[in-house]
Amino acid sequence: MPGERLTVRGASEIGRFPGAAPPTRAELTIHEEGERKQEEGACRRWFRKMCPCCCKRQNSASYDVTDRVEVSKTPTPPPALDLTKPKPENGEAKEMEEIKLSVCSVNLLSSKTDQNRMEHHTDLYYGDELIIRRGQTFQMELELNRPFSTDTDKLHLELKTGPLPLVSKGTHVIIPLVDHLEDERWEAKITEQSGNKIKLSVNSPANAVTGLYGLTVTTCSLKGEPMNCHNSSKNIVLLFNPWCEEDTVFLDDEAERKEYVLNDTGRLYYGTEKQIGARTWNFGQFHEGILEACLFILEKSEIPPSGRGDPVNVVRVISAMINAQDDFGVLVGNWSGNYSNGVSPAAWSSSVEILRKYHASNGTPVSYGQCWVFSGVTTTVLRCLGIPARSVTNFQSAHDTDVSLTTDVYFDENMEPIDYLNSDSVWNFHVWNDCWMARPDLPPGYGGWQAVDSTPQETSQGTFRCGPASVNAIRSGQVYLKHDTPFVFAEVNSDKIYWQKNLNGTFSQIHSEKKAVGHCISTKAVGSDERADITHLYKYQEGSDEERIAVETASRYGTKPDVYSAPMAEDVCVEVKMEGEGPRMGTDARLTIVVKNLSSQPRQTTLNSQVAVMYYTGVLKGTIKKDQMPVELLPNEEKTIEWLLPYQHYQNQLVDQAALMLTLSGRVSETQQVLANQTTFRLRTPDLNITPVGEAVVGKEMAAKITFTNPLPRTLKSVVFRVEGLGLQKGHEVVVGDVGAHSTVTLTEHFIPTQPGPRKLVASLDCKQLSQVHGVADIVVLEQ
């Protein structure tokens, strides 16, 4: 039986939840004391001889019983103290010196309810490892083989991280005992001492290297005898600290810290600027296995451990490692429409499964991701490591391929697009991340939000990564500031320049659109599920003097610095309008083209229109309809033209986002002014309706009904639902099969909530004919 108790105790010390019943803990404590009695009988007999009173007070009830049993079996009474024999001064201390000081056990006080985890805002992380934040004190308890004496004993702590810990690199930390703790250094102080136990308060600097540390406690005497080393069975995880003013990731707003560090769910935005869609995403940074996966990613990146104290380095590495383009990172990007060897990007609704799968496979990239998936996973990793982060969506997001800081569109002599030159593109939307930090490597004023993008688009210093780029620098056109500021500037504020080929092979600028790029930049609002428009953080108001100065400032650092040397007058304009939320999937798409003559003279033109199916990245799949429309305008006249795309034209042509691009072009006969306009729109898909059934209580079964109606006049093939809810149920697939035209499907999910508080049940639909169908239900789970 004692052997069985020993096994249980050992298991509880190496990382299980501290939720064992009190009788079990009490039983183990009694067993530990009995065990120590046998090991240290000589010490106890010595203490009993020197001071039977103290020895008796230290005995537990079980010791009293053990003593009585031993006495009854021993015919000879224990030797009495010789009170007549003189004792040397400090004799007890000298005797204690003969017992070499050693550590019996280390208690890191690492359970979720202990002081450390609560004070360091890490109580939400799974498990009972010691997870702390740098720049803040933490506590630990040591049990020694005898009382500690500051006069005769020495003790220090050592922390080591990485494969080759070095003191000079900050990866081997020696923590001395001091009388008073001071900020900005590794130090430890004894705050409590009771018998053989001491409690330490340990301080770390705000620039300490983050990561996984092993702990060793070293003891010795002042005589210089050989040291005793005790290795803790538990490791320590040190994270960035947004609550610490000296940490470069400090965020001085509690509501924002709660949102950008502690919130494990969020909203990702997609679609077009006039039809903004939103979906719930489970970041799950505190979920089982996620912290281990994030630390594994840092190990996989081969960033030197000494570089993990600088959030700029860490963010830049994470940007590279979330995509698998050139370093076997987390996610394989796929924009082909064929996802047969993996999961469709639109089917994911959580980072948890992706990161756990990557970790469990020892770094095999997960298939597949597109920009919102890359962004969702990046948010998870950064928040998990303690760096405030959010997912950001830019609508009409430019992709500048030649560092011109303009989005260039080329036409031949006949005003036909030159496809092989049109490498620049404008994505319907693009999702990246903001992260919060000071930037001591930049001039003052460029800290705060930094743009970082993990979607593989262009290389940066030979690797597919982007950022961190100061949002303040982007806003003011200071594109010479690192990292990758020109690319992000072009995404949000480049002008769209139209070029026509001349007979001699050169090109002339024939038109420019100054408001074509960077609209409705969106992120989830703090403390709610509403959309927050943060366009003003990335750019000044369109057309303002400040915005034009920023654009022209940035362009001087591009490959076409003279693009603004010859501005052209314009007196005819064309725009496309859409009613309400826009056309719905399965119906004819209707848009309105408005042409205005701003001059006092008549104008005549012919508008060429073509509509093409497109990937949301701006890559066109193919044209599905072309038209020509002659337009005659009286002085100051405005004309409205109704444009129609029948369902039959697009029903078999759409790709992932059901996105389309309408391109209009023409030339004004009287002035030779070129008219050009490109408008993207999507066909809106229905939502999944999720209705909770029953009372939501921890440990009590409940249900949720998921309802979906097929909007198409055709059968959906091989429909699969994916359902997940952090604290409600694990993510899983439900194969539905074929769903007939305009048919309704109802799925009932049964599950048992495991965590109290506000929770979100998320579901998405995956099939070839329809994407971006998803839904969410808010469920408040009560304690049992």
Side-chain angles (χ1 to χ4, degrees):
M1 292 301 292
E4 293 177 358
R5 292 183 183 177
L6 180 62
T7 302
V8 173
R9 178 177 62 83
S12 70
E13 288 180 347
I14 59 171
R16 303 200 177 199
F17 276 117
T24 305
R25 289 201 300 271
E27 184 178 82
L28 295 176
T29 301
I30 292 170
H31 178 70
E32 285 185 354
E33 289 177 348
E35 184 179 56
R36 188 169 298 110
K37 176 183 180 297
Q38 293 176 355
E39 294 172 353
E40 301 173 6
C43 290
R44 290 203 59 79
R45 283 194 297 272
W46 184 88
F47 277 118
R48 188 181 298 113
K49 180 179 75 172
M50 296 301 298
C51 188
C53 306
C54 297
C55 187
K56 184 175 182 180
R57 280 199 301 271
Q58 292 173 355
N59 282 342
S60 65
S62 62
Y63 259 111
D64 290 341
V65 172
T66 303
D67 286 344
R68 285 197 295 271
V69 171
E70 289 180 354
V71 169
S72 66
K73 290 183 179 180
T74 306
T76 311
L81 289 175
D82 184 1
L83 299 177
T84 61
K85 186 177 180 179
K87 290 198 307 179
E89 188 177 355
N90 296 327
E92 184 174 348
K94 291 180 180 179
E95 292 281 356
M96 287 177 61
E97 285 183 29
E98 297 176 2
I99 304 173
K100 194 172 182 181
L101 183 67
S102 63
V103 177
C104 300
S105 65
V106 177
N107 184 357
L108 294 180
L109 306 174
S110 59
S111 75
K112 291 185 176 186
T113 55
D114 274 326
Q115 177 184 1
N116 285 331
R117 296 278 293 269
M118 299 293 288
E119 290 184 351
H120 285 251
H121 305 93
T122 60
D123 52 300
L124 295 175
Y125 286 87
Y126 178 85
D128 63 351
E129 293 294 323
L130 180 57
I131 305 168
I132 54 175
R133 301 187 188 276
R134 65 185 189 176
Q136 188 172 342
T137 58
F138 62 97
Q139 320 300 317
M140 69 172 66
E141 292 179 349
L142 306 181
E143 184 170 359
L144 308 172
N145 64 329
R146 62 169 173 78
F148 180 84
S149 171
T150 55
D151 295 330
T152 59
D153 297 324
K154 292 176 65 177
L155 181 151
H156 71 265
L157 311 177
E158 294 188 35
L159 292 175
K160 297 180 181 180
T161 184
L164 185 62
L166 295 172
V167 173
S168 61
K169 298 291 187 180
T171 54
H172 179 185
V173 180
I174 300 175
I175 307 174
L177 276 185
V178 295
D179 293 331
H180 302 285
L181 293 179
E182 297 183 18
D183 293 336
E184 291 302 299
R185 63 182 66 182
W186 284 104
E187 290 177 331
K189 175 187 175 183
I190 297 176
T191 57
E192 295 180 21
Q193 184 166 357
S194 176
N196 292 3
K197 290 185 176 181
I198 59 174
K199 187 172 185 179
L200 299 179
S201 183
V202 186
N203 194 45
S204 65
N207 63 350
V209 171
T210 61
L212 183 69
Y213 284 87
L215 169 67
T216 300
V217 184
T218 301
T219 56
C220 65
S221 71
L222 293 177
K223 292 181 177 180
E225 296 173 348
M227 295 183 293
N228 269 337
C229 295
H230 178 91
N231 295 319
S232 171
S233 60
K234 285 188 177 182
N235 293 318
I236 297 175
V237 179
L238 189 66
L239 304 176
F240 292 98
N241 193 351
W243 284 265
C244 174
E245 291 188 14
E246 289 74 31
D247 198 317
T248 47
V249 302
F250 173 65
L251 183 58
D252 189 18
D253 187 295
E254 182 57 32
E256 291 186 353
R257 287 193 293 255
K258 187 175 180 180
E259 179 68 48
Y260 299 134
V261 182
L262 300 181
N263 196 350
D264 59 2
T265 61
R267 302 279 275 175
L268 305 182
Y269 299 94
Y270 65 95
T272 69
E273 60 182 296
K274 296 179 181 178
Q275 300 167 283
I276 296 176
R279 64 181 302 167
T280 299
W281 190 269
N282 285 330
F283 298 124
Q285 66 267 34
F286 307 120
H287 201 278
E288 179 182 2
I290 298 304
L291 177 58
E292 291 84 350
C294 294
L295 296 174
F296 171 75
I297 290 170
L298 288 178
E299 292 293 332
K300 185 84 170 172
S301 74
E302 298 183 357
I303 177 179
S306 58
R308 297 176 194 172
D310 183 354
V312 175
N313 287 344
V314 172
V315 165
R316 193 147 171 80
V317 165
I318 295 301
S319 169
M321 283 300 299
I322 298 303
N323 71 75
Q325 193 76 6
D326 45 21
D327 48 18
F328 295 100
V330 176
L331 274 163
V332 178
N334 186 345
W335 289 263
S336 70
N338 180 8
Y339 312 117
S340 57
N341 294 324
V343 175
S344 165
W348 298 114
S349 59
S350 168
S351 305
V352 173
E353 182 181 352
I354 294 169
L355 287 169
R356 292 179 68 176
K357 182 180 290 188
Y358 181 71
H359 187 200
S361 67
N362 198 34
T364 300
V366 179
S367 301
Y368 292 103
Q370 292 181 8
C371 70
W372 65 91
V373 188
F374 289 113
S375 173
V377 174
T378 299
T379 299
T380 299
V381 175
L382 294 183
R383 288 185 183 181
C384 185
L385 297 176
I387 300 174
R390 63 190 184 188
S391 291
V392 172
T393 301
N394 178 39
F395 293 93
Q396 294 299 100
S397 185
H399 181 177
D400 177 23
T401 59
D402 59 0
V403 202
S404 66
L405 299 178
T406 56
T407 302
D408 300 301
V409 183
Y410 293 93
F411 294 90
D412 64 16
E413 299 88 342
N414 300 318
M415 288 302 295
E416 291 288 335
I418 305 176
D419 292 338
Y420 72 92
L421 289 180
N422 289 328
S423 56
D424 287 357
S425 60
V426 178
W427 299 24
N428 287 352
F429 69 95
H430 182 42
V431 190
W432 62 71
N433 294 84
D434 280 348
C435 58
W436 184 273
M437 66 181 72
R439 289 298 299 271
D441 57 323
L442 300 181
Y446 293 102
W449 288 116
Q450 312 290 314
V452 55
D453 193 347
S454 300
T455 301
Q457 297 178 89
E458 300 293 327
T459 58
S460 172
Q461 295 176 313
T463 301
F464 281 95
R465 58 186 169 187
C466 180
S470 167
V471 172
N472 287 341
I474 294 163
R475 187 173 189 241
S476 57
Q478 308 299 318
V479 296
Y480 51 84
L481 298 173
K482 61 183 182 180
H483 294 278
D484 310 309
T485 311
F487 185 81
V488 184
F489 177 89
E491 288 182 301
V492 300
N493 207 14
S494 59
D495 285 351
K496 200 171 194 178
I497 308 296
Y498 294 79
W499 304 84
Q500 185 177 20
K501 189 175 184 179
N502 301 316
L503 293 175
N504 62 2
T506 61
F507 286 86
S508 299
Q509 180 182 339
I510 57 174
H511 179 64
S512 66
E513 286 186 77
K514 296 179 173 60
K515 301 179 181 180
V517 162
H519 300 164
C520 302
I521 303 176
S522 303
T523 191
K524 177 187 172 299
V526 174
S528 80
D529 284 341
E530 298 300 312
R531 181 182 71 88
D533 193 305
I534 58 170
T535 307
H536 62 285
L537 298 181
Y538 274 87
K539 58 198 295 189
Y540 294 102
Q541 185 177 355
E542 287 282 14
S544 66
D545 289 342
E546 294 93 336
E547 188 262 347
R548 286 291 91 197
I549 290 171
V551 171
E552 293 180 20
T553 298
S555 71
R556 287 199 292 268
Y557 295 92
T559 56
K560 295 176 181 154
D562 301 324
V563 82
Y564 295 100
S565 58
M568 299 179 65
E570 299 174 344
D571 56 21
V572 176
C573 62
V574 59
E575 63 177 322
V576 177
K577 294 184 176 181
M578 181 170 51
E579 289 189 6
E581 295 182 332
R584 288 186 169 274
M585 178 73 76
T587 65
D588 296 343
R590 299 177 184 271
L591 301 175
T592 300
I593 301 171
V594 179
V595 187
K596 297 179 183 179
N597 179 9
L598 304 177
S599 76
S600 57
Q601 301 295 322
R603 295 290 183 253
Q604 181 177 341
T605 185
T606 297
L607 281 179
N608 301 292
S609 73
Q610 64 178 39
V611 62
V613 173
M614 69 178 297
Y615 297 94
Y616 81 95
T617 57
V619 177
L620 300 181
K621 178 187 177 186
T623 300
I624 57 176
K625 184 174 181 281
K626 283 187 176 183
D627 284 308
Q628 278 193 338
M629 298 168 281
V631 181
E632 293 186 1
L633 298 168
L634 297 174
N636 298 306
E637 183 183 12
E638 176 181 305
K639 275 195 173 178
T640 299
I641 303 167
E642 297 298 326
W643 182 86
L644 175 70
L645 176 65
Y647 168 72
Q648 290 75 16
H649 279 69
Y650 71 76
Q651 63 175 337
N652 297 317
Q653 304 296 328
L654 298 178
V655 291
D656 288 347
Q657 302 290 327
L660 299 156
M661 173 181 277
L662 174 63
T663 300
L664 302 174
S665 63
R667 187 186 297 276
V668 179
S669 302
E670 293 81 1
T671 63
Q672 300 301 298
Q673 175 192 344
V674 171
L675 301 176
N677 179 282
Q678 288 182 321
T679 300
T680 57
F681 63 98
R682 68 183 178 94
L683 301 165
R684 297 191 67 242
T685 52
D687 293 328
L688 295 181
N689 294 315
I690 307 178
T691 306
V693 179
E695 188 179 19
V697 180
V698 171
K700 179 180 178 181
E701 182 175 317
M702 65 173 297
K705 283 189 176 182
I706 304 173
T707 306
F708 163 74
T709 300
N710 178 8
L712 302 183
R714 61 189 296 189
T715 299
L716 300 179
K717 301 287 188 181
S718 304
V719 173
V720 175
F721 284 11
R722 299 177 70 88
V723 186
E724 182 185 31
L726 297 180
L728 297 173
Q729 64 173 173
K730 292 183 178 179
H732 65 286
E733 291 185 351
V734 179
V735 178
V736 176
D738 295 348
V739 178
H742 301 299
S743 297
T744 298
V745 175
T746 300
L747 170 70
T748 302
E749 284 282 300
H750 296 272
F751 51 92
I752 299 175
T754 58
Q755 296 180 20
R759 298 286 152 192
K760 292 181 184 291
L761 184 66
V762 181
S764 62
L765 178 146
D766 185 19
C767 76
K768 190 170 181 61
Q769 299 89 353
L770 205 58
S771 67
Q772 290 293 4
V773 178
H774 43 79
V776 60
D778 291 304
I779 300 174
V780 178
V781 181
L782 304 177
E783 291 275 13
Q784 192 169 17

